[in-house]
Amino acid sequence: MSVAQPVVISGVTDSGMRYANLWDAEFKGLGAPGPYCMASMTTGRALMLSIDSACPTPWIDIALRMFDTFRRGDLPTPTHTVEWKFSRPIFSPVAAPASSDEAALFDMEGTD
């Protein structure tokens, strides 16, 4: 199991339900290695948090911090987007925000 960094996805469904998931993209379970959802949170009839028993201990803290954000009504910042193909998730990294030229110029002001 990879414990370096989880894959975080979050969003809102067409019906208005908010969700956030924490995935291990390379989980090695009993079957073939593949993505595995370690923690999930959703809204609906109740505010739900589920953490799988296979979740690495450091990721439990991440899931709990994500749930604090989720309970406030915000979505945790996603690291990836997900597309489903043949009932399997395919993750793509979220592009980092582009730095503006103005910020670069501001950083240069006052330097000799």
Side-chain angles (χ1 to χ4, degrees):
M1 169 177 6
S2 147
V3 289
Q5 289 293 356
V7 170
V8 177
I9 62 168
S10 64
V12 180
T13 65
D14 292 341
S15 67
M17 181 185 76
R18 292 183 303 117
Y19 66 90
N21 299 157
L22 192 142
W23 289 78
D24 185 337
E26 299 178 15
F27 180 74
K28 292 172 181 55
L30 297 176
Y36 191 75
C37 186
M38 293 291 176
S40 65
M41 49 204 77
T42 59
T43 58
R45 292 179 17 172
L47 191 61
M48 300 289 295
L49 169 63
S50 172
I51 300 175
D52 193 273
S53 62
C55 188
T57 303
W59 290 13
I60 293 172
D61 292 331
I62 294 169
L64 293 173
R65 284 193 305 271
M66 284 174 51
F67 192 61
D68 280 341
T69 300
F70 198 75
R71 282 185 0 192
R72 286 193 311 264
D74 297 326
L75 288 173
T77 303
T79 61
H80 291 72
T81 59
V82 64
E83 181 181 336
W84 292 88
K85 290 190 178 185
F86 306 110
S87 299
R88 292 190 49 92
I90 308 294
F91 300 108
S92 300
V94 172
S99 62
S100 71
D101 292 337
E102 290 179 12
L105 291 174
F106 179 75
D107 288 342
M108 293 173 52
E109 288 180 6
T111 59
D112 294 330

